[in-house]
Structures are given as structure tokens and as C-alpha cells.
Amino acid sequence: MVGNWKMNGNLRENAELLAKVVAGWQGEHSAEVVICPPFPYLMHANSVLSGSTILLGAQTVSEHDSGAYTGEVSGSMLADLDCKFVIIGHNERRRMRSETDEQVAHQFAAVQRAGLIPILCVGESLQDREQGRHLETISRQLSAVFAYTGKAVFKHAVLAYEPVWAVGTGKTATPEQAEEVHRFMRAQLEELASEVRILYGGSVKAHNAQQLFALPDIDGALLGGASLDADEFLAICKAAD
Ligand code: PEP
């Protein structure tokens, strides 16, 4: 379960939210939980989460390792702050920051060079879905990374299917829609098909999580809105457990 806080929170709110989540996630669990706060709060979140089983992640990364890239954050900086995962290719960055498939491929490699695990997001627009071109889009987004890194490195990666029309909209893919794409993505991984975790993201809430997690090719969820509410987030994590 990966909580993507996006550009939300402040020190006081974060402390409250993290304390509730940590308190509600004590002991042994089979589900792995990751929280991805905005960059300025990583260090604080790291100190609150230390001693818990909840892992830290970041929301994006530079494709470069260091140098004159004002405003950018490198994989090694994230590793320094104990991040274990980095979300890349989120549709908000592809759309609002014009990140291309090629840039995302370079970011994927940069995350792995820093010893971290990329969570590679792919997903089609509403138009692609309505025109029946959703698998074509997913294939294009995945192929750009395969072409740059090869497939073997996906052993140390997580994939996330996030239909653009379902993220932050309150609309969720139907189980059939989600399972079709997850099965397709798994098939693209060939020999690694059974080893790579594929998350679903797009308006997952406590009331629809169970139905999605029951599907054979869905291994977990990437959660935006639901990760900002401790009770909702914990209820989904417990459903996955
Ligand atoms: C996301 O931001 O990756 C996401 C899935 O958001 P939401 O759960 O709010 O749709």
C-alpha cells in the first residue's frame, strides 16, 4: 500500500496523521506500507516512522545524479533520507510537468542507481479509454522504459496502473477494466511476470478496496486522497493484509 500525499500537509498535520497511522499499524503485517510525503517533510516523516514497519518513499526524482539542476532532487539524496521507494511517471507529472516517456525511463534508471525501488506509474487518458486504445498507451509507456533499461531490472521495481480518468475523480475502474490491464502488464514482464508487484491506483477507498484486492493480478494500491485520512488509509491497509 503506497500513500501518495501529493502537495498536501504541514508539519503539524503531518505529525498528527503519521502518529495515528503508526499507532494503527503496530505488530506484524503481511502488507507492506509506504508513505510518500512532499520533499520538505521527508526528514521529519523519517524520524516519526523509525521504529515502525512503515517505509518512506518520494513522489518524484531527477533523472540526473548531481550537478547544476536547480530545484531538482537526486536519488542519492532520497537514499540519504532513508527513502526506499520513489514514485515516477505519475500522470500529474506527465501532464502538468510534461514529463515524457523517455524522461520517465531515465528517472527509473536513476532511482535504481541510487539503490531505491521505482514505482512506475502508467495509465491511459479518458480519450484513450473511450477509443479503445488503453492497452496501446500502457504498452507505449512500458516499452519506453524496457527499451532503456531492459526488462531484467524490473525484478527490483513496482508497477502501478493508474487510469488518468480515475485518479482523484472519485471514479474507479471496474474490476474487469482493472484486471484486463493488470493481466496485460504482467504479460509484458514475461519471465518476471509472477515476481513484480502491480498496484492499482485511482480513487481507491475503504469501500471498494476489498473488491479490487480480490482480483488475481492486483497486488496492492497506490492511494492519493485516502492516504490523507488515517482511518481510511488504515482500513485499506488492513483490507490488503
Ligand atoms: C494517486 O495520486 O496516485 C491516486 C491514486 O490518487 P486518488 O487515490 O486520490 O485517486
Side-chain angles (χ1 to χ4, degrees), residues 43-58:
M43 199 150 168
H44 171 250
N46 185 33
S47 74
V48 179
L49 295 177
S50 70
S52 82
T53 58
I54 300 171
L55 300 170
L56 193 63

Side-chain angles (χ1 to χ4, degrees), residues 101-174:
D101 292 338
E102 287 66 34
Q103 265 172 309
V104 172
H106 288 228
Q107 288 170 305
F108 183 103
V111 172
Q112 290 197 330
R113 277 199 302 281
L116 308 180
I117 299 179
I119 300 170
L120 170 63
C121 301
V122 296
E124 81 284 1
S125 64
L126 183 60
Q127 196 183 31
D128 289 342
R129 166 67 58 181
E130 285 175 348
Q131 294 176 353
R133 290 192 283 108
H134 50 290
L135 297 182
E136 209 180 292
T137 301
I138 307 293
S139 171
R140 192 202 72 228
Q141 292 170 337
L142 286 178
S143 301
V145 187
F146 293 153
Y148 187 66
T149 66
K151 286 189 184 176
V153 297
F154 275 72
K155 198 173 169 66
H156 305 289
V158 174
L159 293 179
Y161 169 51
E162 296 211 307
V164 176
W165 48 271
V167 173
T169 59
K171 285 186 202 148
T172 316
T174 64

Side-chain angles (χ1 to χ4, degrees), residues 4 6 90 92 162 166-169 201-205 222-226:
N4 172 19
K6 311 195 190 194
H90 192 281
E92 285 155 15
E162 296 211 307
V167 173
T169 59
S203 301
V204 177
K205 304 282 183 236
L222 181 48
L223 306 158

